[in-house]
Amino acid sequence: MAIAEIAAHYAVVWFPAGATFALSFVVPICLIAMLRWGWQSVVLAVLSGILYCAFNDGALTDYIVYIVGNSFVLLALIPLSIVGKHRFTDKWYMLLLLVAIAWLGVCLGRSVVFAICLAVSPVEGVAPYSGFVSFAAGDLLSLVMSAIIMIGLRKFDGMLEDQVTYLKRLNKARTEKRLSEKFDENTYTELDEEALSILNQENDIY
């Protein structure tokens, strides 16, 4: 997450025409962690918010908006818990839906916290609802990048799979392989011994 935030920051800073967009990998990285482990992905969401504000000299309000707002990515856990993780990862269009849910959750979280902060400390000429428009419009590139990254990661075995299930599956496969090799070895041994005993019989008809 730290490397991704650094890369995203300088990608925008070095954009030749002057960037009017934000680039963040918080959604795909948090979704990877969420699909693999679950709610622990919130740690990465918080870290992303801290790093973003630190790189952009954010004020206290910015830290609150991005740290708490990014944590709303956990809203994606609701459909994952109801439908099941494998149903979202088995089909590419379901995975895109999950990306959209997580992205909307982050935008919604930031805008809600922004509105609350604005209510506590009003800023003249700034409407409470303007936060969602600003966050969503400026983060559209992040949505596209998130979709591309998640679709690409489907090709890697175990990358988007619950890790407890993945480790159990690997262990089962290794166990079955060992049993299969042991069975084959014993079978060949028994056949060899049987063949020798037939050859050594006194009344061999051959």
Side-chain angles (χ1 to χ4, degrees), residues 12 20 45 53 56 69 71-73 77 94 103 117 133 138 145 165 178 193 199 203:
V12 174
T20 58
C53 293
N56 292 279
S71 300
F72 275 61
V73 73
L77 278 176
M94 289 295 288
W103 179 81
C117 292
V133 177
M145 291 298 297
T165 303
R178 285 197 299 267
E193 292 176 353
L199 291 174
N203 58 349

Side-chain angles (χ1 to χ4, degrees), residues 9-192:
H9 171 72
Y10 284 104
V12 174
V13 170
W14 293 336
F15 195 77
T20 58
F21 58 86
L23 180 61
S24 173
F25 296 102
V26 62
V27 169
I29 293 178
C30 285
L31 280 181
I32 293 169
M34 194 180 297
L35 289 167
R36 289 163 66 92
W37 298 110
W39 64 266
Q40 293 91 332
S41 58
V42 71
V43 175
L44 296 174
V46 170
L47 177 61
S48 174
I50 294 173
L51 291 173
Y52 177 82
C53 293
F55 288 136
N56 292 279
D57 299 323
L60 177 60
T61 303
D62 296 320
Y63 276 92
I64 296 173
V65 168
Y66 279 89
I67 290 175
V68 180
N70 284 1
S71 300
F72 275 61
V73 73
L74 291 180
L75 289 175
L77 278 176
I78 298 175
L80 285 176
S81 301
I82 296 174
V83 179
K85 294 180 179 180
H86 67 281
R87 293 185 180 273
F88 280 98
T89 55
D90 287 347
K91 304 293 184 180
W92 65 268
Y93 53 85
M94 289 295 288
L95 191 57
L96 289 181
L97 176 61
L98 183 65
V99 171
I101 293 172
W103 179 81
L104 282 173
V106 171
C107 291
L108 179 63
R110 291 173 180 173
S111 61
V112 168
V113 179
F114 175 80
I116 294 173
C117 292
L118 204 61
V120 174
S121 179
V123 177
E124 186 178 354
V126 180
Y129 60 83
S130 64
F132 183 81
V133 177
S134 176
F135 291 126
D139 226 27
L140 282 175
L141 180 61
S142 298
L143 174 61
V144 175
M145 291 298 297
S146 299
I148 294 173
I149 291 171
M150 295 302 291
I151 292 298
L153 289 177
R154 287 183 69 244
K155 299 182 180 296
F156 294 90
D157 183 43
M159 180 61 71
L160 302 180
E161 184 178 357
D162 180 87
Q163 289 302 281
V164 175
T165 303
Y166 175 67
L167 293 174
K168 287 181 178 179
R169 179 164 64 83
L170 282 185
N171 184 61
K172 182 180 179 182
R174 291 193 187 104
T175 302
E176 290 177 349
K177 183 178 179 181
R178 285 197 299 267
L179 290 175
S180 176
E181 292 174 349
K182 184 177 181 181
F183 176 77
D184 292 341
E185 181 182 347
N186 291 339
T187 301
Y188 289 129
T189 302
E190 291 173 3
L191 289 174
D192 291 343

